[in-house]
Amino acid sequence: MNLEDLYRLLRNGHLEAQGIIDTVPDPLLLLDQNLRIRSASRAFFSTFKVNSDDTIDQYVYDLGNGQWDIPELRRLLEEVIPKSAAVVDYEVEHDFPSIGRRTMLVSAHRLFRPENNSRFLLLSIVDATQRRKREDEQAVLLGEIRHRMKNLLALVQALARQTTADGRSGEEYKDAFLGRFNTLVRAHDAAYTQEDQADLKEVVERTLNPYSEGTGAIVIEPGPSVVLEPGQVVSLSMVLHELATNAIKYGALSTSTGKIQIEWETETASPPRLRLSWRESGGPPVTPPTTAGFGTRLVQFSVSQELGGQVELNYQPEGLVVEIVSPL
Amino acid sequence: MSKTVLLVEDEFLIAMDLKLLLEQRGWIVIGPAATVVEALGLLQNARPSVAVLDVTLKDGPVTRVAEVLRARNIPFVIASAYELPEHVGGEALSGAPNVGKPTDERDLFRALEQAVQS
């Protein structure tokens, strides 16, 4: 091989190496054993807003008016690296005058040249500030999702625990529990999918649909448009479901002739009030129950605690009449 | 002497469940309170043996309630889905047992018994 070939070989090798360094999107520095910059990648210049003249042959700690004179970096270069061949993602947090506070991940690789015993250091510097921020935000979001999931599970637990098992077959218990469970699921769908609000008419129809399919036994009178908050959607849905299942067991829906009429109006007050009535007729003669079951308690509790309103259950012989008045 | 417990929980189904559970076991339940304001109001007229606290209420974290309970030497148990309730509700909650949410009733009653005995 003659000298010219050798030169070409070396030159090609150099171009290749420089090409690789300039292609990598993260800043790269090549330091000699005295920690002076031998070479820097294009990404280094653009990331730290410096030019080649201010960089090459500079002592690393003097770079950019000493902005790299960081205690953590000194520890890495002077203590960690001499004891290991390579360091990966060593975290350096620093306020850079040109680009502000950043989290940098520094990786280093030691290169050794046996012919003259010299050592080089290849440093890659990854700006992980945005990634860290995203990771932190994701952690917060995940925590919140976990919290909400557990809360939902607690709701399901409450329904499972409080649905009466006494004097019921497993099948009956299952139906009663799943009826409540499905209502909760549908209510959550209605409450949280459309910009966190829903219309009363939709909520009433959606909740009572499973009980009135085709029979015309449930009449929902047209009423004014009422926008409900998620909490109101869930509690009203649960209330309507309890009233409907009660009607199937003991009331208007236990016979083929029974009817339920639902109507509502809004009253101007401060805050405005909703007055909703549920009127059963045509069913078997009604006698007031002697004890309040979970369903009745749920109705009362939901209206008073969640809606902040009042509910009246009138067990009139010709049919149950329920009046709910609640602030909107 | 009957044992009284202040129940602070803003999710009505869970509040109802806990109230019924506690009553079945012979506790007299004060509440449930769904807000800090309500809970503080109940505490003005009553001295429960112990309290069960949710962490995030309708009007904010339960912190103030926990502080008042501590000042009056009333023990409390936390029932929260947060793994570290003190991160959300502050120092006043640290050290109190968290029976978690969903709440296992055995854990709840064990924690309540321990709280009133200590």
Side-chain angles (χ1 to χ4, degrees):
Chain A
M1 196 184 278
N2 63 31
L3 209 57
E4 206 171 309
D5 288 339
L6 202 59
Y7 171 75
R8 204 171 290 128
L9 201 68
L10 272 174
R11 188 174 157 70
N12 284 345
H14 175 75
L15 283 177
E16 252 179 56
Q18 192 62 47
I20 290 171
I21 284 187
D22 284 343
T23 305
V24 175
D26 297 319
L28 279 175
L29 283 181
L30 185 66
L31 307 184
D32 66 17
Q33 55 195 339
N34 300 316
L35 303 178
R36 280 184 192 279
I37 316 285
R38 292 295 304 269
S39 175
S41 70
R42 227 182 281 216
F44 181 86
F45 298 131
S46 59
T47 303
F48 296 104
K49 301 185 169 67
V50 289
N51 60 41
S52 168
D53 292 346
D54 301 334
T55 308
I56 306 301
D57 283 337
Q58 293 285 317
Y59 186 44
V60 66
Y61 301 133
D62 291 340
L63 271 183
N65 295 324
Q67 62 173 305
W68 287 92
D69 190 356
I70 307 166
E72 290 158 6
L73 189 67
R74 275 187 182 268
R75 204 173 311 123
L76 174 72
L77 294 177
E78 292 158 27
E79 292 170 33
V80 181
I81 289 174
K83 290 185 203 135
S84 50
V87 172
V88 176
D89 286 350
Y90 181 92
E91 195 172 313
V92 176
E93 253 208 57
H94 185 60
D95 236 327
F96 291 89
S98 53
I99 54 173
R101 182 148 199 92
R102 293 292 152 120
T103 305
M104 298 289 177
L105 298 179
V106 180
S107 296
H109 204 93
R110 261 196 310 168
L111 306 170
F112 183 62
R113 282 200 180 151
E115 77 274 9
N116 62 358
N117 246 348
S118 65
R119 279 189 301 270
F120 285 86
L121 201 55
L122 195 57
L123 285 186
S124 89
I125 303 152
V126 176
D127 184 347
T129 314
Q130 288 298 323
R131 199 209 305 171
R132 277 292 143 83
K133 213 179 126 202
R134 270 202 305 276
E135 282 169 359
D136 289 350
E137 285 167 357
Q138 253 167 22
V140 169
L141 193 65
L142 269 177
E144 196 46 46
I145 289 174
R146 233 191 5 248
H147 179 247
R148 285 199 184 192
M149 262 176 47
K150 284 171 135 189
N151 262 318
L152 264 177
L153 287 174
L155 287 180
V156 175
Q157 183 192 47
L159 294 182
R161 196 148 52 195
Q162 297 301 338
T163 296
T164 309
D166 283 353
R168 278 180 168 172
S169 70
E171 198 70 24
E172 286 165 338
Y173 171 84
K174 188 187 77 180
D175 288 346
F177 165 71
L178 286 181
R180 285 174 176 150
F181 175 76
N182 291 333
T183 303
L184 186 68
V185 172
R186 275 197 299 271
H188 268 258
D189 272 351
Y192 295 101
T193 42
Q194 304 159 357
E195 292 143 7
D196 278 6
Q197 55 184 34
D199 189 74
L200 174 63
K201 180 169 175 278
E202 278 173 48
V203 171
V204 174
E205 285 174 351
R206 199 192 269 249
T207 311
L208 298 179
N209 217 15
Y211 310 101
S212 66
E213 268 174 303
T215 64
I218 299 180
V219 180
I220 300 167
E221 301 288 349
S225 163
V226 178
V227 175
L228 301 173
E229 309 273 319
Q232 295 172 315
V233 173
V234 174
S235 67
L236 264 179
S237 301
M238 296 308 288
V239 166
L240 292 170
H241 169 78
E242 290 309 321
L243 293 176
T245 49
N246 183 68
I248 290 172
K249 271 194 283 185
Y250 315 108
L253 299 183
S254 66
T255 63
S256 58
T257 53
K259 277 214 175 338
I260 299 171
Q261 186 194 26
I262 294 140
E263 54 190 338
W264 66 87
E265 56 188 10
T266 48
E267 293 173 352
T268 19
S270 177
R273 276 195 301 257
L274 167 71
R275 182 180 291 274
L276 183 141
S277 69
W278 167 287
R279 197 174 299 275
E280 297 185 28
S281 59
V286 172
T287 46
T290 45
T291 54
F294 177 68
T296 309
R297 288 185 193 207
L298 195 151
V299 169
Q300 283 162 341
F301 205 89
S302 160
V303 174
S304 64
Q305 291 284 310
E306 184 63 27
L307 299 178
Q310 282 123 35
V311 59
E312 257 184 68
L313 298 155
N314 297 311
Y315 293 91
Q316 296 170 5
E318 57 276 17
L320 171 67
V321 177
V322 181
E323 287 259 1
I324 294 170
V325 180
S326 93
L328 283 169
Chain B
M1 197 188 94
S2 48
K3 304 166 289 183
T4 53
V5 52
L6 170 69
L7 177 57
V8 182
E9 165 65 60
D10 68 335
E11 183 65 61
F12 79 94
L13 282 171
I14 297 169
M16 228 186 126
D17 178 33
L18 293 177
K19 182 177 158 81
L20 293 172
L21 270 183
L22 289 161
E23 286 173 351
Q24 272 163 25
R25 292 287 194 102
W27 288 84
I28 292 171
V29 177
I30 304 170
T35 61
V36 174
V37 173
E38 243 180 280
L40 293 177
L42 290 173
L43 275 173
Q44 273 181 354
N45 304 313
R47 190 189 164 83
S49 340
V50 63
V52 177
L53 306 183
D54 179 25
V55 175
T56 318
L57 302 178
K58 290 201 162 121
D59 57 350
V62 76
T63 317
R64 186 75 198 114
V65 180
E67 285 167 358
V68 169
L69 290 169
R70 281 200 192 277
R72 291 178 57 187
N73 270 322
I74 300 171
F76 57 87
V77 166
I78 299 166
S80 167
Y82 287 116
E83 269 133 60
L84 297 166
E86 60 272 25
H87 282 196
V88 181
E91 257 318 283
L93 298 186
S94 67
N98 181 9
V99 294
K101 193 185 272 179
T103 311
D104 183 329
E105 44 187 292
R106 282 164 304 183
D107 293 344
L108 173 66
F109 289 113
R110 203 176 300 135
L112 284 179
E113 294 298 339
Q114 259 168 27
V116 286
Q117 271 159 28
S118 57

